[in-house]
Amino acid sequence: MLGPNTQDDTTCTRRRSSSAITISSLPPELLLLITDYLPVSAIVSLKLTSNHLYHATPLPKAYHAKPAFHALPLCEQRALRRNLDEAADLATGRRQCLLCNCLLHLRFFPNDGATCDLHSGRYMSTSLPPGLDAPTKARLERLAGFSQEAYWVAISRQLCIHTGRVVRWDVPACECGCDSCAHVSVVCYIRISHSSLRPSGWWLRSDHDGNCWVQEYDAGAGSEASFRPPTCEQESKPSQLAVLGESPGVSRPIPVVSLQVAEKTAGTRSLDTLLV
């Protein structure tokens, strides 16, 4: 009969062995059952996880047949190319934007994001977006009542690559119904101000330390000139920027803070030192 110490050791060994079960330790029969429910891009991602899964997981027939591959949904094709080409692209210091599919230098991807910063303007708004959820809308409306100076609030949201829309920003919920499209995290920006006046234009700026701010442009009262982002030469003179129609305007930096920081500092006179 086993003694108490030996029984305890056996129980601990069984617990350790049961907790150490991973997908790599599953028998091939279970792997085949799992992959039957996965899209092609997910199977490719699973194969690229380890050498064991690479050889143990078979590729679907749709991957080998070129006509069948092109018959796959567009999101499925993009996911396959992304899984296979991303490592090679990163080795050359480049990355493919999930939104515009452009292969760009890594400097165009702030904070190691999946979309390039050329799309940052589409995540910025001076009014409440249509798909914003009610709790966040109430929090932002409360901040607008306390604000003495204009500032921008950064809010993290999920971007659906299939539709190109931001969930709980552009639309209340994702309705694409696709199993393979990526949902990536993006930072959206909304302007908080007690005044009803809005700038003529704005663009997001950042420095090498990761601090960001919004450069706002005012065309002036009664001016009908439209906004145009500055050139490199004009950026050296931040107080004067060119607009269409050759009408001068004035720009100013506006701080960017997170929603949590904005709520903690609601009612303060200055947010200049609270850059995100």
Side-chain angles (χ1 to χ4, degrees):
M1 187 175 72
L2 294 176
N5 293 335
T6 306
Q7 186 176 7
D8 292 342
D9 294 341
T10 305
T11 303
C12 293
T13 303
R14 290 176 179 175
R15 289 177 179 175
R16 286 196 298 268
S17 61
S18 61
S19 62
I21 294 178
T22 61
I23 191 171
S24 300
S25 62
L26 295 178
E29 295 80 5
L30 287 180
L31 281 177
L32 291 176
L33 290 176
I34 294 174
T35 55
D36 285 341
Y37 294 92
L38 297 178
V40 180
S41 59
I43 297 176
V44 174
S45 299
L46 181 64
K47 288 178 66 67
L48 297 176
T49 304
S50 65
N51 291 331
H52 171 73
L53 292 176
Y54 181 84
H55 296 285
T57 309
L59 278 172
K61 296 180 180 179
Y63 181 82
H64 296 286
K66 187 174 182 180
F69 172 79
H70 289 284
L72 294 173
L74 183 59
C75 286
E76 190 81 5
Q77 298 182 32
R78 289 180 177 177
L80 279 171
R81 294 191 181 99
R82 182 171 64 251
N83 293 333
L84 296 175
D85 299 338
E86 187 173 30
D89 294 338
L90 291 176
T92 61
R94 299 178 299 173
R95 168 173 285 175
Q96 188 175 23
C97 176
L98 296 185
L99 201 57
C100 62
N101 292 323
C102 293
L103 190 61
L104 302 171
H105 193 273
L106 292 179
R107 67 174 180 269
F108 289 96
F109 297 87
N111 302 321
D112 198 31
T115 59
C116 63
D117 60 1
L118 300 178
H119 306 287
S120 60
R122 67 184 298 168
Y123 311 137
M124 303 177 70
S125 177
T126 58
S127 59
L128 293 176
L132 199 64
D133 54 289
T136 305
K137 186 183 299 184
R139 295 167 68 183
L140 294 175
E141 290 176 343
R142 178 178 177 272
L143 289 177
F146 280 102
S147 65
Q148 300 178 7
E149 297 179 356
Y151 59 94
W152 290 75
V153 171
I155 304 175
S156 179
R157 287 291 182 261
Q158 293 291 317
L159 170 68
C160 175
I161 301 299
H162 186 107
T163 60
R165 295 185 175 183
V166 181
V167 181
R168 294 168 58 203
W169 185 266
D170 297 325
V171 292
C174 182
E175 301 176 351
C176 66
C178 180
D179 296 331
S180 302
C181 68
H183 285 72
V184 297
S185 179
V186 296
V187 180
C188 301
Y189 303 89
I190 185 169
R191 191 178 191 269
I192 300 298
S193 176
H194 186 69
S195 174
S196 60
L197 298 178
R198 294 292 182 265
S200 302
W202 54 87
W203 67 98
L204 187 66
R205 303 294 303 275
S206 61
D207 56 21
H208 296 290
D209 296 329
N211 298 321
C212 64
W213 67 95
V214 175
Q215 198 77 20
E216 292 187 355
Y217 168 80
D218 286 325
S223 175
E224 296 181 357
S226 57
F227 168 77
R228 181 174 62 189
T231 63
C232 295
E233 180 181 356
Q234 293 161 352
E235 285 188 351
S236 61
K237 302 178 181 179
S239 61
Q240 295 291 327
L241 296 178
V243 293
L244 297 179
E246 303 298 332
S247 176
V250 178
S251 71
R252 61 185 181 278
I254 305 296
V256 176
V257 299
S258 64
L259 181 57
Q260 292 75 14
V261 170
E263 290 178 326
K264 290 180 181 180
T265 59
T268 59
R269 186 166 297 277
S270 178
L271 294 170
D272 292 340
T273 59
L274 300 176
L275 297 178
V276 174

